[in-house]
Amino acid sequence: MGMESFMKRLTETPAPEIDQEAFELERRYQRAFGHAVPREMLPPGISQEQIKQAVEACLMTGTDRFFEVLGVSIDPDVLY
């Protein structure tokens, strides 16, 4: 497949649907806590539904305990 046919297929691929509920929750989270939902630090097994539930829990309590709610611990000595 050449670059031209790749680009043609790419432009013809429909954009994925945006989960408006998750989008709005994450906007509220960012306004409340001053940073975006830290998805890049989550293990791949965490689902979108779990993320939404954790964000809702943080917003309801007014505390940014996102990782704790999900049962994720971050070890700063292992980050790379």
Side-chain angles (χ1 to χ4, degrees), residues 18-79:
I18 294 175
D19 181 341
Q20 289 298 326
E21 178 187 14
F23 182 76
E24 184 54 36
L25 279 172
E26 292 189 28
R27 285 181 58 200
R28 289 177 44 214
Y29 180 94
Q30 187 165 13
R31 284 193 304 264
F33 302 115
H35 60 88
V37 174
R39 295 174 170 281
E40 66 280 354
M41 297 176 77
L42 295 176
I46 303 289
S47 71
Q48 175 66 19
E49 194 56 39
Q50 290 172 298
I51 293 170
K52 287 186 343 187
Q53 290 172 356
V55 168
E56 286 175 335
C58 291
L59 291 171
M60 285 180 11
T61 62
T63 57
D64 187 9
R65 300 175 344 168
F66 182 73
F67 293 116
E68 185 179 331
V69 171
L70 288 171
V72 173
S73 61
I74 305 297
D75 184 347
D77 295 330
V78 180
L79 292 177

